[in-house]
Amino acid sequence: MKIFLDTANLDSIRKYNDMGLLDGITTNPSLMSKEGGNPKNVMEEITKIIEGDVSLEVVSTEYSGMMDEGKRLREYGDNVVVKVPMTPDGLKACKSFSSDGIPVNVTLIFSANQALLAAKSGARYVSPFIGRLDDVGQDGMNLIKDIKQIFDNYPQFKTQILVASIRHPVHVVDAAKIGADVVTLPPAVLDKMMKHPLTKIGLENFLADWEKFKATNPDVKI
Ligand code: G3P
């Protein structure tokens, strides 16, 4: 399963990329606004730091605007995936970009039917928002199971399931058990995945024992 970071924060992107954890980045207008500064510089920098796919989202809601924005977004790097909303105009833009060999991520997916239509339009990724479904009392992970089953039934669809709106590490394990292609994680969730209280306690005990040993063997080095 690929791991993407769901952020436009350059420090976080560099931090986790240096650990070798990142296969790509997803952004959206909310994440971009949060960072402030000039979005153009931020987007360009992300495409330079990350070798894998970088989803940059359009803000137009009609077809021709999406096409213009998507083409401009692609100028930031060859690894840019144009992110469009799951709307009729978004699907039309998805079809046009995909036919020209430009990869597309269709976002704001909340049903299996929407995922099916985005796949038909040639999307490289569909982004189902599981946390937001959980928030309204629907089990978001059931949507991932449904989309996975549908895509497996029709191998002609090459569209990848990019699980978005992930809120905690259990979401990640469940998505991996289902066989989702990608999870996109807020930095805080990736951070939590690394930690376990027994790891912390275990390391503290190892170091305390070593200090005791060193007290009587001061010249020993590792
Ligand atoms: O990038 C889209 C998605 O991951 C947003 O998540 O937490 O705003 O629902 P959230």
PDB file of all heavy atoms in Angstrom, residues 151-175:
ATOM      1  N   PHE A 151     -14.083  -2.729  -8.139  1.00  0.00           N
ATOM      2  CA  PHE A 151     -12.900  -2.612  -9.019  1.00  0.00           C
ATOM      3  C   PHE A 151     -12.271  -3.983  -9.272  1.00  0.00           C
ATOM      4  O   PHE A 151     -11.778  -4.247 -10.373  1.00  0.00           O
ATOM      5  CB  PHE A 151     -11.870  -1.643  -8.424  1.00  0.00           C
ATOM      6  CG  PHE A 151     -12.253  -0.175  -8.524  1.00  0.00           C
ATOM      7  CD1 PHE A 151     -13.476   0.218  -9.049  1.00  0.00           C
ATOM      8  CD2 PHE A 151     -11.378   0.820  -8.098  1.00  0.00           C
ATOM      9  CE1 PHE A 151     -13.837   1.562  -9.145  1.00  0.00           C
ATOM     10  CE2 PHE A 151     -11.718   2.166  -8.198  1.00  0.00           C
ATOM     11  CZ  PHE A 151     -12.951   2.536  -8.712  1.00  0.00           C
ATOM     12  N   ASP A 152     -12.298  -4.848  -8.266  1.00  0.00           N
ATOM     13  CA  ASP A 152     -11.759  -6.210  -8.466  1.00  0.00           C
ATOM     14  C   ASP A 152     -12.612  -7.011  -9.450  1.00  0.00           C
ATOM     15  O   ASP A 152     -12.104  -7.865 -10.179  1.00  0.00           O
ATOM     16  CB  ASP A 152     -11.675  -6.969  -7.123  1.00  0.00           C
ATOM     17  CG  ASP A 152     -10.516  -6.508  -6.276  1.00  0.00           C
ATOM     18  OD1 ASP A 152      -9.685  -5.715  -6.769  1.00  0.00           O
ATOM     19  OD2 ASP A 152     -10.435  -6.923  -5.102  1.00  0.00           O
ATOM     20  N   ASN A 153     -13.918  -6.731  -9.467  1.00  0.00           N
ATOM     21  CA  ASN A 153     -14.814  -7.437 -10.399  1.00  0.00           C
ATOM     22  C   ASN A 153     -14.540  -7.069 -11.848  1.00  0.00           C
ATOM     23  O   ASN A 153     -14.882  -7.816 -12.755  1.00  0.00           O
ATOM     24  CB  ASN A 153     -16.286  -7.092 -10.104  1.00  0.00           C
ATOM     25  CG  ASN A 153     -16.809  -7.824  -8.889  1.00  0.00           C
ATOM     26  OD1 ASN A 153     -16.174  -8.748  -8.393  1.00  0.00           O
ATOM     27  ND2 ASN A 153     -17.960  -7.405  -8.393  1.00  0.00           N
ATOM     28  N   TYR A 154     -13.986  -5.858 -12.035  1.00  0.00           N
ATOM     29  CA  TYR A 154     -13.774  -5.349 -13.402  1.00  0.00           C
ATOM     30  C   TYR A 154     -12.329  -4.910 -13.565  1.00  0.00           C
ATOM     31  O   TYR A 154     -12.013  -3.720 -13.464  1.00  0.00           O
ATOM     32  CB  TYR A 154     -14.745  -4.180 -13.684  1.00  0.00           C
ATOM     33  CG  TYR A 154     -16.179  -4.621 -13.544  1.00  0.00           C
ATOM     34  CD1 TYR A 154     -16.890  -4.346 -12.376  1.00  0.00           C
ATOM     35  CD2 TYR A 154     -16.797  -5.367 -14.543  1.00  0.00           C
ATOM     36  CE1 TYR A 154     -18.196  -4.794 -12.214  1.00  0.00           C
ATOM     37  CE2 TYR A 154     -18.100  -5.820 -14.387  1.00  0.00           C
ATOM     38  CZ  TYR A 154     -18.790  -5.533 -13.231  1.00  0.00           C
ATOM     39  OH  TYR A 154     -20.068  -5.979 -13.078  1.00  0.00           O
ATOM     40  N   PRO A 155     -11.434  -5.874 -13.830  1.00  0.00           N
ATOM     41  CA  PRO A 155     -10.001  -5.555 -13.892  1.00  0.00           C
ATOM     42  C   PRO A 155      -9.648  -4.560 -14.994  1.00  0.00           C
ATOM     43  O   PRO A 155      -8.558  -4.006 -14.982  1.00  0.00           O
ATOM     44  CB  PRO A 155      -9.342  -6.909 -14.157  1.00  0.00           C
ATOM     45  CG  PRO A 155     -10.382  -7.938 -13.886  1.00  0.00           C
ATOM     46  CD  PRO A 155     -11.712  -7.289 -14.034  1.00  0.00           C
ATOM     47  N   GLN A 156     -10.588  -4.314 -15.914  1.00  0.00           N
ATOM     48  CA  GLN A 156     -10.296  -3.303 -16.949  1.00  0.00           C
ATOM     49  C   GLN A 156     -10.181  -1.899 -16.342  1.00  0.00           C
ATOM     50  O   GLN A 156      -9.563  -1.018 -16.920  1.00  0.00           O
ATOM     51  CB  GLN A 156     -11.333  -3.315 -18.086  1.00  0.00           C
ATOM     52  CG  GLN A 156     -12.746  -2.945 -17.710  1.00  0.00           C
ATOM     53  CD  GLN A 156     -13.595  -4.158 -17.330  1.00  0.00           C
ATOM     54  OE1 GLN A 156     -13.094  -5.125 -16.753  1.00  0.00           O
ATOM     55  NE2 GLN A 156     -14.877  -4.102 -17.624  1.00  0.00           N
ATOM     56  N   PHE A 157     -10.768  -1.693 -15.161  1.00  0.00           N
ATOM     57  CA  PHE A 157     -10.575  -0.421 -14.468  1.00  0.00           C
ATOM     58  C   PHE A 157      -9.178  -0.418 -13.843  1.00  0.00           C
ATOM     59  O   PHE A 157      -8.855  -1.299 -13.040  1.00  0.00           O
ATOM     60  CB  PHE A 157     -11.596  -0.222 -13.341  1.00  0.00           C
ATOM     61  CG  PHE A 157     -13.000   0.014 -13.819  1.00  0.00           C
ATOM     62  CD1 PHE A 157     -14.061  -0.564 -13.155  1.00  0.00           C
ATOM     63  CD2 PHE A 157     -13.269   0.838 -14.908  1.00  0.00           C
ATOM     64  CE1 PHE A 157     -15.373  -0.353 -13.577  1.00  0.00           C
ATOM     65  CE2 PHE A 157     -14.567   1.057 -15.338  1.00  0.00           C
ATOM     66  CZ  PHE A 157     -15.616   0.456 -14.667  1.00  0.00           C
ATOM     67  N   LYS A 158      -8.388   0.568 -14.200  1.00  0.00           N
ATOM     68  CA  LYS A 158      -7.034   0.670 -13.629  1.00  0.00           C
ATOM     69  C   LYS A 158      -6.996   1.689 -12.486  1.00  0.00           C
ATOM     70  O   LYS A 158      -5.938   2.012 -11.960  1.00  0.00           O
ATOM     71  CB  LYS A 158      -6.024   1.074 -14.710  1.00  0.00           C
ATOM     72  CG  LYS A 158      -5.983   0.110 -15.895  1.00  0.00           C
ATOM     73  CD  LYS A 158      -5.549  -1.302 -15.479  1.00  0.00           C
ATOM     74  CE  LYS A 158      -5.620  -2.291 -16.632  1.00  0.00           C
ATOM     75  NZ  LYS A 158      -5.785  -3.680 -16.175  1.00  0.00           N
ATOM     76  N   THR A 159      -8.151   2.219 -12.155  1.00  0.00           N
ATOM     77  CA  THR A 159      -8.248   3.272 -11.140  1.00  0.00           C
ATOM     78  C   THR A 159      -7.851   2.753  -9.756  1.00  0.00           C
ATOM     79  O   THR A 159      -8.254   1.663  -9.359  1.00  0.00           O
ATOM     80  CB  THR A 159      -9.702   3.800 -11.102  1.00  0.00           C
ATOM     81  OG1 THR A 159     -10.061   4.198 -12.419  1.00  0.00           O
ATOM     82  CG2 THR A 159      -9.833   4.966 -10.141  1.00  0.00           C
ATOM     83  N   GLN A 160      -7.060   3.560  -9.055  1.00  0.00           N
ATOM     84  CA  GLN A 160      -6.599   3.172  -7.715  1.00  0.00           C
ATOM     85  C   GLN A 160      -7.467   3.831  -6.639  1.00  0.00           C
ATOM     86  O   GLN A 160      -7.887   4.978  -6.791  1.00  0.00           O
ATOM     87  CB  GLN A 160      -5.141   3.594  -7.524  1.00  0.00           C
ATOM     88  CG  GLN A 160      -4.199   2.892  -8.490  1.00  0.00           C
ATOM     89  CD  GLN A 160      -2.779   3.402  -8.346  1.00  0.00           C
ATOM     90  OE1 GLN A 160      -2.243   3.497  -7.257  1.00  0.00           O
ATOM     91  NE2 GLN A 160      -2.162   3.737  -9.471  1.00  0.00           N
ATOM     92  N   ILE A 161      -7.667   3.067  -5.569  1.00  0.00           N
ATOM     93  CA  ILE A 161      -8.453   3.589  -4.436  1.00  0.00           C
ATOM     94  C   ILE A 161      -7.507   4.323  -3.493  1.00  0.00           C
ATOM     95  O   ILE A 161      -6.593   3.727  -2.909  1.00  0.00           O
ATOM     96  CB  ILE A 161      -9.150   2.441  -3.679  1.00  0.00           C
ATOM     97  CG1 ILE A 161     -10.034   1.627  -4.624  1.00  0.00           C
ATOM     98  CG2 ILE A 161      -9.966   2.985  -2.508  1.00  0.00           C
ATOM     99  CD1 ILE A 161     -10.590   0.338  -4.003  1.00  0.00           C
ATOM    100  N   LEU A 162      -7.738   5.630  -3.369  1.00  0.00           N
ATOM    101  CA  LEU A 162      -6.903   6.484  -2.518  1.00  0.00           C
ATOM    102  C   LEU A 162      -7.767   6.878  -1.314  1.00  0.00           C
ATOM    103  O   LEU A 162      -8.665   7.724  -1.441  1.00  0.00           O
ATOM    104  CB  LEU A 162      -6.460   7.713  -3.327  1.00  0.00           C
ATOM    105  CG  LEU A 162      -5.379   8.625  -2.787  1.00  0.00           C
ATOM    106  CD1 LEU A 162      -4.878   9.558  -3.896  1.00  0.00           C
ATOM    107  CD2 LEU A 162      -5.820   9.451  -1.600  1.00  0.00           C
ATOM    108  N   VAL A 163      -7.542   6.224  -0.197  1.00  0.00           N
ATOM    109  CA  VAL A 163      -8.402   6.452   0.969  1.00  0.00           C
ATOM    110  C   VAL A 163      -8.033   7.792   1.610  1.00  0.00           C
ATOM    111  O   VAL A 163      -6.887   7.995   2.025  1.00  0.00           O
ATOM    112  CB  VAL A 163      -8.260   5.301   1.995  1.00  0.00           C
ATOM    113  CG1 VAL A 163      -9.227   5.501   3.148  1.00  0.00           C
ATOM    114  CG2 VAL A 163      -8.493   3.952   1.322  1.00  0.00           C
ATOM    115  N   ALA A 164      -9.022   8.693   1.670  1.00  0.00           N
ATOM    116  CA  ALA A 164      -8.777  10.051   2.177  1.00  0.00           C
ATOM    117  C   ALA A 164      -9.651  10.323   3.399  1.00  0.00           C
ATOM    118  O   ALA A 164     -10.499   9.509   3.757  1.00  0.00           O
ATOM    119  CB  ALA A 164      -9.079  11.059   1.070  1.00  0.00           C
ATOM    120  N   SER A 165      -9.389  11.472   4.012  1.00  0.00           N
ATOM    121  CA  SER A 165     -10.105  11.865   5.233  1.00  0.00           C
ATOM    122  C   SER A 165      -9.891  10.821   6.330  1.00  0.00           C
ATOM    123  O   SER A 165     -10.827  10.414   7.012  1.00  0.00           O
ATOM    124  CB  SER A 165     -11.602  12.060   4.927  1.00  0.00           C
ATOM    125  OG  SER A 165     -12.296  12.581   6.023  1.00  0.00           O
ATOM    126  N   ILE A 166      -8.636  10.425   6.463  1.00  0.00           N
ATOM    127  CA  ILE A 166      -8.247   9.445   7.488  1.00  0.00           C
ATOM    128  C   ILE A 166      -7.999  10.189   8.792  1.00  0.00           C
ATOM    129  O   ILE A 166      -7.332  11.219   8.806  1.00  0.00           O
ATOM    130  CB  ILE A 166      -7.001   8.674   7.002  1.00  0.00           C
ATOM    131  CG1 ILE A 166      -7.456   7.650   5.961  1.00  0.00           C
ATOM    132  CG2 ILE A 166      -6.242   8.037   8.159  1.00  0.00           C
ATOM    133  CD1 ILE A 166      -6.370   6.763   5.431  1.00  0.00           C
ATOM    134  N   ARG A 167      -8.549   9.651   9.877  1.00  0.00           N
ATOM    135  CA  ARG A 167      -8.503  10.388  11.144  1.00  0.00           C
ATOM    136  C   ARG A 167      -7.612   9.743  12.201  1.00  0.00           C
ATOM    137  O   ARG A 167      -7.255  10.384  13.181  1.00  0.00           O
ATOM    138  CB  ARG A 167      -9.923  10.512  11.708  1.00  0.00           C
ATOM    139  CG  ARG A 167     -10.882  11.259  10.808  1.00  0.00           C
ATOM    140  CD  ARG A 167     -10.663  12.768  10.913  1.00  0.00           C
ATOM    141  NE  ARG A 167     -11.244  13.464   9.778  1.00  0.00           N
ATOM    142  CZ  ARG A 167     -12.550  13.705   9.623  1.00  0.00           C
ATOM    143  NH1 ARG A 167     -13.404  13.299  10.526  1.00  0.00           N
ATOM    144  NH2 ARG A 167     -12.983  14.352   8.567  1.00  0.00           N
ATOM    145  N   HIS A 168      -7.307   8.439  12.063  1.00  0.00           N
ATOM    146  CA  HIS A 168      -6.528   7.759  13.108  1.00  0.00           C
ATOM    147  C   HIS A 168      -5.877   6.496  12.533  1.00  0.00           C
ATOM    148  O   HIS A 168      -6.270   6.014  11.452  1.00  0.00           O
ATOM    149  CB  HIS A 168      -7.419   7.421  14.312  1.00  0.00           C
ATOM    150  CG  HIS A 168      -8.682   6.720  13.939  1.00  0.00           C
ATOM    151  ND1 HIS A 168      -8.693   5.414  13.507  1.00  0.00           N
ATOM    152  CD2 HIS A 168      -9.968   7.144  13.907  1.00  0.00           C
ATOM    153  CE1 HIS A 168      -9.936   5.060  13.238  1.00  0.00           C
ATOM    154  NE2 HIS A 168     -10.728   6.097  13.470  1.00  0.00           N
ATOM    155  N   PRO A 169      -4.896   5.924  13.271  1.00  0.00           N
ATOM    156  CA  PRO A 169      -4.150   4.780  12.740  1.00  0.00           C
ATOM    157  C   PRO A 169      -4.996   3.538  12.468  1.00  0.00           C
ATOM    158  O   PRO A 169      -4.636   2.740  11.602  1.00  0.00           O
ATOM    159  CB  PRO A 169      -3.119   4.493  13.847  1.00  0.00           C
ATOM    160  CG  PRO A 169      -2.924   5.800  14.536  1.00  0.00           C
ATOM    161  CD  PRO A 169      -4.276   6.457  14.513  1.00  0.00           C
ATOM    162  N   VAL A 170      -6.110   3.358  13.162  1.00  0.00           N
ATOM    163  CA  VAL A 170      -6.939   2.169  12.901  1.00  0.00           C
ATOM    164  C   VAL A 170      -7.514   2.235  11.483  1.00  0.00           C
ATOM    165  O   VAL A 170      -7.636   1.213  10.796  1.00  0.00           O
ATOM    166  CB  VAL A 170      -8.065   2.028  13.962  1.00  0.00           C
ATOM    167  CG1 VAL A 170      -8.969   0.834  13.638  1.00  0.00           C
ATOM    168  CG2 VAL A 170      -7.468   1.859  15.354  1.00  0.00           C
ATOM    169  N   HIS A 171      -7.839   3.425  11.039  1.00  0.00           N
ATOM    170  CA  HIS A 171      -8.290   3.581   9.643  1.00  0.00           C
ATOM    171  C   HIS A 171      -7.239   3.017   8.676  1.00  0.00           C
ATOM    172  O   HIS A 171      -7.572   2.400   7.668  1.00  0.00           O
ATOM    173  CB  HIS A 171      -8.491   5.068   9.311  1.00  0.00           C
ATOM    174  CG  HIS A 171      -9.844   5.612   9.665  1.00  0.00           C
ATOM    175  ND1 HIS A 171     -10.067   6.946   9.928  1.00  0.00           N
ATOM    176  CD2 HIS A 171     -11.069   5.008   9.764  1.00  0.00           C
ATOM    177  CE1 HIS A 171     -11.368   7.146  10.168  1.00  0.00           C
ATOM    178  NE2 HIS A 171     -11.978   5.980  10.094  1.00  0.00           N
ATOM    179  N   VAL A 172      -5.969   3.260   8.989  1.00  0.00           N
ATOM    180  CA  VAL A 172      -4.891   2.838   8.071  1.00  0.00           C
ATOM    181  C   VAL A 172      -4.804   1.312   8.022  1.00  0.00           C
ATOM    182  O   VAL A 172      -4.723   0.715   6.939  1.00  0.00           O
ATOM    183  CB  VAL A 172      -3.536   3.445   8.510  1.00  0.00           C
ATOM    184  CG1 VAL A 172      -2.432   3.045   7.541  1.00  0.00           C
ATOM    185  CG2 VAL A 172      -3.638   4.969   8.617  1.00  0.00           C
ATOM    186  N   VAL A 173      -4.837   0.686   9.188  1.00  0.00           N
ATOM    187  CA  VAL A 173      -4.769  -0.785   9.241  1.00  0.00           C
ATOM    188  C   VAL A 173      -5.970  -1.390   8.507  1.00  0.00           C
ATOM    189  O   VAL A 173      -5.817  -2.325   7.705  1.00  0.00           O
ATOM    190  CB  VAL A 173      -4.728  -1.276  10.714  1.00  0.00           C
ATOM    191  CG1 VAL A 173      -4.826  -2.793  10.788  1.00  0.00           C
ATOM    192  CG2 VAL A 173      -3.452  -0.801  11.389  1.00  0.00           C
ATOM    193  N   ASP A 174      -7.137  -0.840   8.752  1.00  0.00           N
ATOM    194  CA  ASP A 174      -8.349  -1.385   8.100  1.00  0.00           C
ATOM    195  C   ASP A 174      -8.274  -1.214   6.578  1.00  0.00           C
ATOM    196  O   ASP A 174      -8.639  -2.125   5.824  1.00  0.00           O
ATOM    197  CB  ASP A 174      -9.611  -0.705   8.647  1.00  0.00           C
ATOM    198  CG  ASP A 174      -9.931  -1.157  10.064  1.00  0.00           C
ATOM    199  OD1 ASP A 174      -9.391  -2.199  10.489  1.00  0.00           O
ATOM    200  OD2 ASP A 174     -10.712  -0.472  10.748  1.00  0.00           O
ATOM    201  N   ALA A 175      -7.786  -0.070   6.126  1.00  0.00           N
ATOM    202  CA  ALA A 175      -7.664   0.162   4.673  1.00  0.00           C
ATOM    203  C   ALA A 175      -6.665  -0.827   4.068  1.00  0.00           C
ATOM    204  O   ALA A 175      -6.889  -1.360   2.973  1.00  0.00           O
ATOM    205  CB  ALA A 175      -7.226   1.601   4.408  1.00  0.00           C
TER     206      ALA A 175
END
